[in-house]
Amino acid sequence: TWGLRPDAAPVTCQHISRLVGDGRYDGCCFYRSDFVIQMGLRTPAGRQVDNPYGRLTTNESRLPNVRGAVAIAHWDCVQSCGTGYKAHAPDCGGSEFFINLQANGHLDATWGGYCVFAMVEDEASLKVVDAIAAAKKRDNKDILIHSAKLG
């Protein structure tokens, strides 16, 4: 369980809420696990799910990327992470997001910062996040999200 922070990122929270409410994340997956776990509109088979709402054009939050912080990834405008990209537009999030597995202060300023729009709410939920990370690392398989819901 994580709670949105519309006080810090109202546009981003509205954007993500629309994607969740429309069922766009249902059947998608967590496909990255290193210092974050990351997911977006991608199925375990690698199929991209349409994002009808386009990209975000603002990085409105200045909340820190601490353990359990949920932030928009700059993935929608960069096709491959860690493949030599030196720079890209800082305000290019859309559907991809990640949950910090540790404090990642460098993400607060890198490429204009990564907009934190939610926080994992409790220890039980952090244990689930850690279990997703461990399963992804252990089995090297994408972790399916059957259904995403707004609370």
Side-chain angles (χ1 to χ4, degrees):
T1 303
W2 37 277
L4 295 176
R5 292 290 310 270
D7 59 313
V11 173
T12 304
C13 289
Q14 181 182 31
H15 183 81
I16 293 295
S17 294
R18 288 175 74 188
L19 290 167
V20 171
D22 286 353
R24 296 286 175 175
Y25 290 109
D26 296 356
C28 290
C29 63
F30 282 99
Y31 60 83
R32 174 183 179 189
S33 178
D34 43 32
F35 57 95
V36 300
I37 56 172
Q38 184 167 330
M39 73 166 294
L41 298 179
R42 186 173 98 172
T43 68
R47 183 180 65 82
Q48 288 295 125
V49 176
D50 181 47
N51 175 2
Y53 307 121
R55 292 184 352 203
L56 293 165
T57 58
T58 181
N59 181 0
E60 58 191 338
S61 172
R62 294 297 172 230
L63 295 174
N65 279 277
V66 296
R67 176 167 162 73
V70 185
I72 288 290
H74 295 180
W75 198 259
D76 294 83
C77 62
V78 176
Q79 294 302 310
S80 186
C81 186
T83 59
Y85 285 98
K86 301 265 188 260
H88 58 76
D91 301 326
C92 64
S95 61
E96 300 281 327
F97 65 85
F98 58 85
I99 302 173
N100 287 279
L101 298 174
Q102 62 193 31
N104 290 307
H106 66 284
L107 297 179
D108 297 337
T110 303
W111 290 336
Y114 290 79
C115 179
V116 173
F117 66 92
M119 291 294 297
V120 174
E121 292 189 325
D122 53 46
E123 277 302 312
S125 297
L126 278 173
K127 287 182 181 180
V128 172
V129 168
D130 291 338
I132 291 169
K136 172 66 179 151
K137 287 178 184 176
R138 179 188 64 240
D139 301 333
N140 196 28
K141 293 182 181 174
D142 295 338
I143 307 300
L144 177 67
I145 304 301
H146 294 280
S147 180
K149 301 286 182 217
L150 295 171

